[in-house]
Amino acid sequence: MSTAGFAIPAELDRDLRRFRTRSLMVGGAALLLVAAGAFLNPPQFFRSYLWAYLFYIGVTLGSTALMMLHHLTGGAWGLVIRRLLESASRTLPVLALLFVPVLFGIPLLYEWSHTDVVARDELLRAKAPYLNVPFFIARTVVYFLLWVALARLLNRWSLAQDRTGDPGLARKMSALSGPGLLIYGLTVSFAMVDWVMSLEPHWWSTIIGMLFMAAQGLSALSFIVALVVLLSKREPLRSVLTPRHLHDLGKLMLAFVMLWAYLSFSQLLIIWSGNLTDEIPWYLKRLQGGWGIIGILLVLFHFALPFALLLSRDIKRSTRTLAPVAGLVLAMRLFDLFWWVAPAFQETGHVSFHVHWLDFAAPVALGGLWLAAFLWQLQKRPLMPVGDPNLEEALAHGRE
Amino acid sequence: MPEQQLLDAEKGQAPVIGPGHTFATVTDKISSVVLTQRQPLMWFATLSTAFLLTMLLLLAVTVLFAKGTGIWGINMPVAWGFAITNFVWWIGIGHAGTLISAILLLLNQPWRNSINRFAEAMTIFAVACAGLFPILHLGRPWLFYWLIPYPNTMGVQPQFRSPLVWDVFAVTTYATVSVLFWFVGLLPDLATLRDRSQTRLGQMFYGMLAMGWRGSARHWRQHEVASLLLAGLATPLVLSVHTVVSFDFTIAILPGWHSTIFPPYFVAGAIYSGFAMVLVLAIPLRAAYGLGDLITMRHLDNSAKVMLGTGLIVAYSYLMEAFMAWYSGVGVEKFLMLNRMTGPYAEQFWMLVSCNIVIIQLLWFRKVRQNTLALFGISIVVLIGMWLERYVIIVTSLHRDFLPSSWGMFHPTRWDWATYTGTIGLFLLLFFLFVRLLPMISIFEVRTLLPEARVKEETRA
């Protein structure tokens, strides 16, 4: 396979562009609806928006982390999807922009932003040095600066590697990825404390960072698997992607499904058995008034079913079967985040499951825009890292 | 895989096996340690020291059984002193063996083939040492079987909601699966020793252990299936055992114990200390027996990287715990963290921070990872650090809890130290007997790393 063979052929390029335009149009239309919702029902708008946003930032940051993991450890699994991971990581500036509405929503989303509430609440007073609006915004800015910087550097070197094939660049990417993953781990943990945990400011759980890292990795992997299956119907990926590569990706997906379940169960068991007043309300809300059914659905379809399916070698090796599993997991990621975010705005003992029309419009709007940005980035480079010294080996790995 | 090796050379990495080896030389080299070679001085020195320490353990346990747990420093409020610290420390060390033998097998990481055998042996002996402590810690150790649910005339059943009972299941399962996995893996090599042994005693000893292994194609086929199944069974154990151990703490509602990050944090810590022990054993062994071409710098480098990675997860967990203690806004949580950092056990706390977080940052540098002496030193430091970590977790949470009127201090007695160092002796004694009597590196698995093994497979396919 020659180097030029990995460039996106004209036909695929046209189709991708068409899809991109459509995605942008759908996203734009939904955005108008969402904007209308922002005037009709501002609190609901911000809740739906934050939830949808968490899903897309999860896919993006998960991709960035997987990209760094691949730079650090190598492996054929990462080389065949590296361009997809990189394209996702280059949407971070767009996501930074899309975070701006959340900043306007701080008073409606976060109880701790009201000085009168804080003044009445001893715990919130104690947390005020951390949970206050200026510091919240400053932290968010720092997170995005670090994420964008990491993604930019790694993408720039990857592009240079395409041109020169310089093996020193692979070493450079690997050297940055070690500290990069460390930065990712710390920033994501604190971002999730800020954006998610502080929705219920009395609650805390030390596992939240790891839980969200596992969840983001799973979201990213499921998205990439679904996409790589779609792309493998056409050249150049048709002659590259083999059952062996899918098998590796499927195994990784299985590992992330288990990791998510393990961390989620650990949190549940520890908080349930402790039954302490600061912690247990979080679960009480999420197990009452219809939310419990979502919880059971999560156990069944976020863990049990994908776990059972992914144990099978045949299911992991076939595009026809792996893609639906990836789709299922991706859908369940949305459910899971909804279960994390939506009950936060209800009072313990008065919770009831309900879905607003904005909960449908917001993910479509953000998804359309994000997907368009992703495809725009994807079209910019060949679909394989042509300058990587291990590419031949990775492709041969698939043919073995 | 010859291409693999060429590539590795290009990347500047050491190969997983030294050049010039054939099937015959590998077999000779590993089996000669057991069958013909004179044991190096290091073996005699370690074994005799270990023997003396084991005698000390026997003495300490005899006195303990005669007089009761009062000879230790434990009392209210610190009822879990050295015994539980040592239990968690030892069982954590075992985890690296299971990770290397099971998970790396499933992940197709052939470099593990020359370190899995002694790492598995390390697991079994570490679990044996760990298993002693909860029993010794019982006031009436002869009634330990009450922890096992069995139909009895007293109508007494263990409390199934207690993680201490889960521990019994987790640890016994772990010990059983580890022994089985290790023994199944030994079978082909035991047959090799049987065939090569020159003495009648050796032939009978290895012959009985080899259980009639003749190396037929059917044997190999069944062996491979059994190994993969056992690896599959052992894989969840890498996570589950230390997760259950962490529940011993988190299910209690004590500040410093009740923390949701404990399960993954304990697992990472276990693997961290386990790889440290792997290096502590591997580095002197390869020097004393001249095994540098089988346990290469690549193995040491990879183990050091795993140590760095898991060490960083542990550091991350300390940070999250400290941050959340403050963020919680809860008085006792804040007090506990402050008491850990500045209270009467501050010295141990800061020592553990320097051992587990600060010093291992040296492993970022390739030069350090390539220096066996430095690696050995860092690994010892990590083992000390991980012991201190468990000590600090246990003692600081217990010694000052919610009621200041019931505060107290823990002072270890000489019997505490005797029991602890005694198990180190027992561990080393068992390990060096293993080195003397069984092939410490898997002969048949190392042979699969050779170019010869690869060529045959390719011509067949």
Side-chain angles (χ1 to χ4, degrees):
Chain A
M1 175 72 57
S2 68
T3 312
F6 294 122
I8 298 177
E11 199 188 337
L12 178 63
D13 194 55
R14 199 188 56 224
D15 287 357
L16 283 178
R17 191 170 313 150
R18 193 178 298 156
F19 192 63
R20 194 176 85 199
T21 320
R22 232 175 264 168
S23 156
L24 200 61
M25 274 159 56
V26 172
L31 195 67
L32 286 179
L33 271 178
V34 172
F39 286 102
L40 294 171
N41 189 348
Q44 185 58 46
F45 160 77
F46 285 115
R47 292 164 194 181
S48 307
Y49 189 92
L50 178 70
W51 163 61
Y53 183 85
L54 285 170
F55 177 75
Y56 294 103
I57 191 88
V59 174
T60 310
L61 286 173
S63 301
T64 314
L66 285 175
M67 172 178 81
M68 291 192 283
L69 190 70
H70 165 67
H71 284 315
L72 201 61
T73 63
W77 64 271
L79 268 178
V80 289
I81 58 167
R82 194 169 112 192
R83 278 293 133 91
L84 307 181
L85 298 173
E86 286 175 356
S87 306
S89 77
R90 291 200 299 275
T91 63
L92 272 168
V94 177
L95 280 164
L97 209 64
L98 288 174
F99 194 80
V100 173
V102 179
L103 296 180
F104 287 103
I106 290 174
L108 289 170
L109 285 170
Y110 300 102
E111 198 187 331
W112 49 258
S113 61
H114 300 278
T115 41
D116 52 324
V117 176
V118 174
R120 269 180 274 122
D121 190 315
E122 195 192 342
L123 274 180
L124 292 189
R125 270 206 309 277
K127 295 179 189 204
Y130 185 81
L131 292 182
N132 59 69
V133 180
F135 195 24
F136 179 92
I137 297 174
R139 284 196 303 270
T140 299
V141 170
V142 171
Y143 305 146
F144 275 107
L145 281 178
L146 286 168
W147 294 336
V148 171
L150 277 173
R152 275 195 79 108
L153 276 174
L154 289 168
N155 275 291
R156 185 185 303 161
W157 292 337
S158 182
L159 188 66
Q161 194 188 41
D162 272 11
R163 296 210 194 95
T164 61
D166 176 10
L169 284 165
R171 264 200 297 279
K172 245 166 121 178
M173 287 191 276
S174 168
L176 178 64
S177 292
L181 276 173
L182 209 61
I183 293 171
Y184 162 79
L186 289 172
T187 46
V188 163
S189 301
F190 284 101
M192 292 308 136
V193 171
D194 295 357
W195 301 349
V196 183
M197 203 162 89
S198 80
L199 288 171
E200 282 148 288
H202 292 111
W203 179 66
W204 84 94
S205 171
T206 43
I207 207 172
I208 188 170
M210 286 202 192
L211 190 47
F212 268 88
M213 282 184 244
Q216 293 187 344
L218 184 59
S219 300
L221 207 57
S222 308
F223 169 72
I224 299 286
V225 165
L227 192 78
V228 92
V229 165
L230 283 177
L231 285 171
S232 73
K233 299 203 183 339
R234 312 275 289 265
E235 289 297 347
L237 272 180
R238 183 159 55 188
S239 47
V240 167
L241 196 79
T242 68
R244 184 108 189 248
H245 292 132
L246 281 179
H247 194 177
D248 290 349
L249 291 171
K251 279 187 199 168
L252 213 57
M253 230 166 96
L254 175 62
F256 271 104
V257 165
M258 289 195 285
L259 191 63
W260 173 86
Y262 165 66
L263 297 173
S264 302
F265 174 71
S266 296
Q267 177 178 286
L268 170 66
L269 181 73
I270 291 166
I271 291 182
W272 168 79
S273 73
N275 203 16
L276 294 174
T277 44
D278 292 326
E279 298 176 334
I280 199 70
W282 196 88
Y283 275 110
L284 286 181
K285 280 187 195 175
R286 283 161 181 79
L287 296 173
Q288 290 171 350
W291 289 108
I293 294 167
I294 304 280
I296 290 168
L297 287 179
L298 286 175
V299 174
L300 292 179
F301 298 106
H302 198 315
F303 171 62
L305 186 64
F307 171 74
L309 292 174
L310 287 172
L311 282 178
S312 151
R313 181 183 151 94
D314 291 342
I315 288 178
K316 278 182 289 207
R317 289 175 77 93
S318 158
T319 48
R320 267 216 331 269
T321 45
L322 191 62
V325 179
L328 170 73
V329 172
L330 216 48
M332 291 320 288
R333 286 298 317 130
L334 270 166
F335 265 79
D336 182 42
L337 284 169
F338 194 63
W339 188 75
W340 268 76
V341 172
F345 303 102
Q346 300 179 342
E347 290 294 315
T348 319
H350 305 282
V351 287
S352 64
F353 175 74
H354 83 103
V355 182
H356 195 263
W357 63 265
L358 271 165
D359 290 327
F360 294 97
V364 174
L366 282 177
L369 298 183
W370 183 80
L371 203 60
F374 173 81
L375 292 170
W376 170 49
Q377 290 302 327
L378 185 68
Q379 282 174 288
K380 283 187 168 177
R381 298 183 183 184
L383 277 175
M384 286 282 140
V386 288
D388 194 289
N390 293 323
L391 185 62
E392 273 306 311
E393 195 192 348
L395 299 182
H397 168 82
R399 289 192 292 268
E400 256 173 43
Chain B
M1 49 190 77
E3 314 97 316
Q4 182 76 42
Q5 276 175 5
L6 282 176
L7 272 171
D8 292 338
E10 273 168 26
K11 283 181 215 157
Q13 267 182 330
V16 287
I17 187 165
H21 268 301
T22 64
F23 286 164
T25 58
V26 165
T27 313
D28 279 342
K29 183 149 196 172
I30 302 171
S31 62
S32 74
V33 172
V34 179
L35 294 174
T36 53
Q37 206 174 312
R38 251 185 75 89
Q39 294 303 312
L41 189 67
M42 179 268 232
W43 184 82
F44 288 101
T46 320
L47 196 80
S48 42
T49 318
F51 181 78
L52 288 176
L53 286 174
T54 312
M55 291 303 107
L56 181 65
L57 176 68
L58 277 183
L59 177 71
V61 170
T62 311
V63 175
L64 176 77
F65 286 168
K67 293 197 175 168
T69 45
I71 64 165
W72 288 347
I74 50 171
N75 207 329
M76 295 315 280
V78 186
W80 280 11
F82 267 33
I84 306 303
T85 306
N86 298 339
F87 163 70
V88 180
W89 187 67
W90 275 121
I91 203 127
I93 283 172
H95 280 60
T98 322
L99 184 104
I100 291 169
S101 54
I103 294 190
L104 295 187
L105 178 73
L106 294 182
L107 292 180
N108 291 322
Q109 296 289 317
W111 64 273
R112 69 178 263 295
N113 285 4
S114 59
I115 55 170
N116 63 343
R117 171 71 47 74
F118 78 82
E120 280 169 47
M122 173 193 92
T123 297
I124 294 166
F125 304 144
V127 173
C129 291
L132 283 177
F133 282 104
I135 296 175
L136 296 181
H137 188 256
L138 295 171
R140 292 176 289 169
W142 53 91
L143 296 179
F144 75 93
Y145 63 91
W146 284 12
L147 284 163
I148 299 160
Y150 69 102
N152 59 56
T153 51
M154 301 175 287
V156 177
Q157 288 293 312
Q159 166 61 280
F160 280 106
R161 277 193 177 188
S162 162
L164 302 182
V165 175
W166 309 344
D167 253 354
V168 176
F169 290 100
V171 175
T172 46
T173 314
Y174 189 42
T176 315
V177 174
S178 300
V179 170
L180 274 178
F181 197 18
W182 185 59
F183 184 64
V184 168
L186 265 168
L187 281 177
D189 286 0
L190 288 168
T192 307
L193 290 183
R194 171 197 64 197
D195 299 342
R196 297 173 75 94
S197 178
Q198 300 292 322
T199 63
R200 186 78 195 121
L201 188 70
Q203 284 163 355
M204 278 174 59
F205 177 68
Y206 294 115
M208 281 205 281
L209 285 177
M211 298 180 85
W213 178 273
R214 295 183 309 281
S216 73
R218 238 176 97 183
H219 283 180
W220 281 112
R221 164 93 193 116
Q222 283 165 348
H223 186 260
E224 198 181 329
V225 172
S227 300
L228 279 176
L229 283 177
L230 281 170
L233 279 175
T235 298
L237 291 175
V238 177
L239 289 175
S240 69
V241 179
H242 231 64
T243 297
V244 170
V245 170
S246 80
F247 287 153
D248 292 343
F249 300 96
T250 51
I251 299 294
I253 51 168
L254 224 47
W257 283 12
H258 180 77
S259 175
T260 49
I261 205 172
F262 263 39
Y265 150 43
F266 266 47
V267 171
I271 295 166
Y272 183 36
S273 62
F275 269 88
M277 188 59 106
V278 165
L279 285 173
V280 164
L281 296 172
I283 290 169
L285 276 183
R286 72 195 277 278
Y289 290 93
L291 294 171
D293 48 351
L294 295 177
I295 303 172
T296 64
M297 286 318 292
R298 173 83 166 276
H299 297 100
L300 305 187
D301 192 60
N302 282 358
S303 305
K305 281 179 183 162
V306 175
M307 237 164 73
L308 178 61
T310 45
L312 289 171
I313 298 179
V314 168
Y316 165 89
S317 307
Y318 296 161
L319 176 76
M320 277 298 133
E321 265 201 290
F323 170 72
M324 289 293 177
W326 177 84
Y327 177 89
S328 73
V330 178
V332 283
E333 291 278 346
K334 285 188 197 175
F335 169 75
L336 171 102
M337 201 41 78
L338 214 63
N339 185 44
R340 251 189 211 172
M341 292 175 175
T342 60
Y345 294 100
E347 220 170 277
Q348 283 91 332
F349 176 79
W350 290 111
M351 246 168 88
L352 95 85
V353 168
S354 7
C355 289
N356 288 348
I357 304 182
V358 180
I359 293 174
I360 59 141
Q361 301 310 322
L362 287 169
L363 294 176
W364 284 98
F365 303 102
R366 197 188 182 82
K367 273 224 174 77
V368 177
R369 296 201 303 268
Q370 299 289 337
N371 180 336
T372 51
L373 207 65
L375 263 187
F376 186 77
I378 292 173
S379 305
I380 295 271
V381 163
V382 168
L383 283 172
I384 296 172
M386 286 308 292
W387 188 87
L388 282 170
E389 178 203 292
R390 276 69 172 253
Y391 179 78
V392 166
I393 289 175
I394 289 172
V395 176
T396 55
S397 277
L398 288 172
H399 93 119
R400 288 181 177 173
D401 67 358
F402 306 99
L403 268 183
S405 61
S406 60
W407 285 0
M409 286 292 290
F410 172 76
H411 300 287
T413 63
R414 68 183 111 153
W415 294 113
D416 278 307
W417 286 108
T419 325
Y420 173 47
T421 47
T423 52
I424 295 178
L426 177 66
F427 173 80
L428 289 176
L429 181 77
L430 291 168
F431 190 82
F432 278 82
L433 283 176
F434 152 76
V435 166
R436 175 67 190 83
L437 294 174
L438 294 169
M440 71 178 119
I441 294 177
S442 172
I443 302 173
F444 80 95
E445 279 173 301
V446 166
R447 285 195 295 219
T448 63
L449 296 175
L450 293 168
E452 283 173 83
R454 196 67 177 179
V455 169
K456 266 187 194 153
E457 204 175 273
E458 273 166 7
T459 44
R460 197 185 54 208

